[in-house]
Amino acid sequence: MSLVVRVIPCLDVDDGRVVKGVHFENLRDAGDPVELAAEYYRQGADELTFLDVTASSSHRQTMVNVVTRTAEQIFIPLTVGGGVRTPEDVDSLLRCGADKVSVNTAAINDPTLISRVAERFGNQVLVLSVDARRERGEQHTQSGFEVTTMGGRKSTGIDALWWARRAEELGAGEVLLNSMDADGTQQGFDLEMIRAMREVVSIPIIASGGAGKAQDFPPAIAAGADAVLAASIFHYGKVTIGEVKDELRRAGYAVR
């Protein structure tokens, strides 16, 4: 585990606005991404993550503009994901101010994307986003956790732990572990999933999905996460970055 725990607000961006829902459905407006990013920077966020939830070509330039404007105002690492399909997409985002880029569906379709990006830009640039849930129906995986796409709505049949381990071998520098079962529920992080992932990868794990109160964050670190990510509770003012860091300090973890 990293020496210092990172607290990362996540901004899901749709056509230039931050949105949030439950299990990626019933999305509602949560504000201007640049304004929210500046506020989280003021509160002491360690990093920021932008996810382009539509990721269509028609919205690509909007996202580039959002990243550019944000990078001019904040001075902490910025990760951008959504619709990244080629090393050229990565290059474009890095040039407009991103520090790291996350990949998901495109890497599932073509795992060589991971190695191509890592070889060109370094593995510290590449974050593997894993949208995982407990297997359902006829899909069976060795770990019981499967990779999904389309915001958890489409099953791939791929074992989530196997996929993260394979991505690490290919050059991924971090795993953003999104629990689709917990996403938006505010009932706490999926500790079982975090523990299982920690057993199979050595790269940093960013835990995502389920945070509802400041007290939810220390257990995620105890389970093996190196960083914690949340969206709704920050966007709607339920919890501040400072309150999360205070709770982590009380639990004995080092934070900036």
Side-chain angles (χ1 to χ4, degrees), residues 176-197:
L176 172 53
L177 180 60
N178 309 300
S179 171
M180 294 293 95
D181 297 318
D183 178 72
T185 64
Q186 300 190 18
Q187 298 299 307
F189 290 94
D190 191 329
L191 304 182
E192 180 185 9
M193 184 183 289
I194 296 169
R195 291 189 193 101
M197 184 63 73

Side-chain angles (χ1 to χ4, degrees), residues 89-107:
D89 290 336
V90 174
D91 184 63
S92 175
L93 289 169
L94 294 177
R95 287 179 182 275
C96 70
D99 298 281
K100 295 186 274 188
V101 175
S102 71
V103 295
N104 189 338
T105 304

Side-chain angles (χ1 to χ4, degrees), residues 89 117 198:
D89 290 336
V117 170
R198 180 74 286 163

Side-chain angles (χ1 to χ4, degrees), residues 30-226:
D32 177 78
V34 181
E35 291 178 1
L36 281 172
E39 172 59 20
Y40 295 145
Y41 176 61
R42 186 192 67 78
Q43 287 186 23
D46 298 299
E47 299 183 14
L48 286 173
T49 293
F50 279 160
L51 295 179
D52 183 351
V53 298
T54 47
S56 66
S57 58
S58 62
H59 289 163
R60 175 59 63 195
Q61 190 57 45
T62 298
M63 194 62 181
V64 166
N65 291 338
V66 167
V67 173
T68 301
R69 290 166 53 215
T70 301
E72 292 171 350
Q73 297 193 33
I74 68 169
F75 303 96
I76 53 176
L78 175 63
T79 300
V80 182
V84 175
R85 299 178 178 88
T86 66
E88 288 67 37
D89 290 336
V90 174
D91 184 63
S92 175
L93 289 169
L94 294 177
R95 287 179 182 275
C96 70
D99 298 281
K100 295 186 274 188
V101 175
S102 71
V103 295
N104 189 338
T105 304
I108 294 170
N109 294 336
D110 178 12
T112 69
L113 174 64
I114 297 172
S115 55
R116 286 184 286 135
V117 170
E119 289 169 6
R120 180 171 171 181
F121 303 103
N123 64 357
Q124 77 284 351
V125 162
L126 188 62
V127 180
L128 179 75
S129 182
V130 180
D131 293 341
R133 71 181 182 195
R134 282 160 182 78
E135 61 185 25
R136 300 176 184 175
E138 297 180 357
Q139 295 288 355
H140 296 290
T141 62
Q142 183 174 351
S143 70
F145 298 108
E146 66 170 333
V147 176
T148 67
T149 58
M150 302 296 292
R153 293 185 292 275
K154 183 178 179 181
S155 172
T156 66
I158 298 172
D159 187 298
L161 304 190
W162 173 87
W163 172 230
R165 185 170 60 248
R166 176 61 178 146
E168 179 178 13
E169 294 170 351
L170 290 169
E174 289 185 293
V175 174
L176 172 53
L177 180 60
N178 309 300
S179 171
M180 294 293 95
D181 297 318
D183 178 72
T185 64
Q186 300 190 18
Q187 298 299 307
F189 290 94
D190 191 329
L191 304 182
E192 180 185 9
M193 184 183 289
I194 296 169
R195 291 189 193 101
M197 184 63 73
R198 180 74 286 163
E199 291 181 0
V200 300
V201 300
S202 59
I203 55 178
I205 296 172
I206 304 168
S208 172
K213 55 186 183 299
Q215 292 78 10
D216 288 333
F217 290 82
I221 303 302
D226 300 270

